[in-house]
Amino acid sequence: MPFADRFPLIPGPSPLHPLPALSPELGLDLWIKRDDLLGFGGGGNKVRKVERLLGRALRDGAEAVVACGSRQSNFLRVLAAGCRRAGLRCEAVVMDMPFEPPARPAFRPPTSGGNADLAGLFGARFHALPDGSWEELDEARRRLAARLKEEGARVMEISVGGSSAEGVQAFVEAAAEIGEGFDFVVHASSSGSTQVGLSHAFRGTRTQVIGIACDPEPEMAHDLAALSSQFSAASGSLPMTADEFDFRLGWEGEGYNIPSPEGQAAIRRMAQSEGILLDPIYSAKAFAALLDLAKEGSLTGRVCFWHTGGLPNLFAFGIPGQSTE
Ligand SMILES: *Cc1c(COP(=O)(O)O)cnc(C)c1O
């Protein structure tokens, strides 16, 4: 086994339960996988990745991790919390609104509240940069890591969103928690390890994994394939090609970090039918897609909506009211 042991943060499988009100409305046997309830550090899919990444950091004798992301990143929040537990320093380069060139959105996300303040509460050290591309953000992370190494620190560098072979492995393992009885799994997809992990786990089974884009990234299928080869090199499993991933654009709205009208409507529908909260940046967009796909008849049978968390964003970006549609 080439992976380091997990640094345990999760007490057991996240809940999996049916959605009794929405199922008849949508004509599906609809279930929900509650990674929003993973709990540690405020929960969400990133807890799974952080367990694996910190396992490696501790095995390799790191004393600090160097990461990057948007100031409102769920990943940085959970990583910061995990670092406290593991006794590591958490350093992160952040931008308010990293973007995919050439589109520089006019939207300004909140710079305080939500994940930004929670990461601070968990003791992360943020190095803020003016907005720029994801590429520039990643380069700044590499420079910061190089500087800390020069100063003598033993650092582990962590890629955007924690997507790495470890991140994928975390979701290969998570897939076992729902078994092979589903026809479809639908989830929000962004840095890719959730989708690559679930897709590897369900390859060759009846379960079709559908990742919904939360940012306008047309090259995503290739990024997923690249992550799959990284995982394959570490695990010895056969890599998946770009066309083996079911990745759907169309519900990302105006872009990453920008709530969409369809997503806000999906938040209301889930809250008002099932009493469950979605976040405006990821899970709401994925659930909006699920509603549309069910309506057009391309989802049938037993369907699992994988709730990836993100709750602090609901409070930071604002709770949709009745009248905003
Ligand atoms: C990061 C995140 C995702 C996307 O997961 P990836 O593995 O990065 O693709 C989805 N939902 C939420 C709430 C997230 O924080």
Side-chain angles (χ1 to χ4, degrees):
M1 187 68 181
F3 294 106
D5 290 341
R6 282 186 313 130
F7 178 68
L9 300 170
I10 299 171
S14 64
L16 170 71
H17 63 80
L19 293 175
L22 282 166
S23 286
E25 284 175 32
L26 301 177
L28 298 174
D29 181 13
L30 183 61
W31 292 61
I32 189 166
K33 176 67 172 159
R34 303 292 305 272
D35 274 8
D36 58 320
L37 299 183
L38 280 176
F40 179 80
N45 67 340
K46 300 309 184 311
V47 186
R48 297 184 184 277
K49 305 189 197 189
V50 166
E51 280 194 322
R52 286 249 152 239
L53 290 164
L54 292 181
R56 170 150 68 96
L58 292 174
R59 182 197 65 191
D60 295 349
E63 57 197 4
V65 301
V66 180
C68 66
S70 126
R71 191 185 284 279
Q72 290 293 357
S73 159
N74 293 304
F75 177 65
L76 294 181
R77 161 179 49 88
V78 177
L79 181 65
C83 282
R84 288 326 269 196
R85 177 81 72 83
L88 301 176
R89 253 162 58 216
C90 181
E91 309 263 352
V93 182
V94 298
M95 292 178 178
D96 292 341
M97 190 72 174
F99 61 90
E100 204 66 60
R104 180 192 280 267
F107 181 84
R108 305 312 314 158
T111 54
S112 64
N115 288 318
D117 287 352
L118 291 173
L121 176 65
F122 290 131
R125 181 142 171 251
F126 275 2
H127 305 256
L129 282 187
D131 287 347
S133 67
W134 285 101
E135 190 53 43
E136 286 164 345
L137 183 61
D138 215 37
E139 269 165 29
R141 170 181 63 81
R142 284 194 284 270
R143 282 198 304 275
L144 174 63
R147 179 160 67 73
L148 293 172
K149 281 179 195 164
E150 266 169 36
E151 292 168 9
R154 291 191 307 274
V155 307
M156 179 171 119
E157 296 186 52
I158 295 183
S159 48
V160 174
S163 277
S164 60
E166 281 86 7
V168 173
Q169 173 67 12
F171 277 90
V172 169
E173 290 164 2
E177 294 177 16
I178 69 167
E180 293 188 359
F182 287 96
D183 298 295
F184 295 92
V185 173
V186 180
H187 70 92
S189 192
S190 177
S191 72
S193 37
T194 303
Q195 182 159 12
V196 175
L198 295 177
S199 302
H200 266 270
F202 290 115
R203 176 165 50 173
T205 72
R206 74 185 247 204
T207 308
Q208 186 181 336
V209 177
I210 305 180
I212 307 300
C214 299
D215 39 277
E217 175 51 284
E219 296 299 308
M220 185 69 181
H222 294 279
D223 295 351
L224 294 173
L227 194 53
S228 170
S229 356
Q230 221 177 305
F231 170 69
S232 299
S235 66
S237 73
L238 207 64
M240 293 176 68
T241 55
D243 58 5
E244 284 179 272
F245 292 102
D246 191 341
F247 176 75
R248 312 277 177 104
L249 286 156
W251 289 275
E252 67 279 9
E254 287 177 50
Y256 179 69
N257 251 352
I258 310 179
S260 68
E262 300 74 21
Q264 300 302 89
I267 290 176
R268 280 193 291 274
R269 179 112 186 241
M270 183 65 101
Q272 293 173 7
S273 49
E274 301 284 354
I276 292 172
L277 300 173
L278 300 174
D279 86 289
I281 306 307
Y282 297 96
S283 54
K285 292 177 179 179
F287 189 61
L290 185 149
L291 293 173
D292 287 346
L293 294 172
K295 203 168 171 184
E296 75 184 32
S298 32
L299 289 179
T300 49
R302 198 149 175 251
V303 176
C304 177
F305 176 64
W306 199 295
H307 190 332
T308 46
L311 185 62
N313 279 334
L314 182 61
F315 300 105
F317 285 75
I319 295 166
Q322 271 309 311
S323 55
T324 54
E325 209 171 342

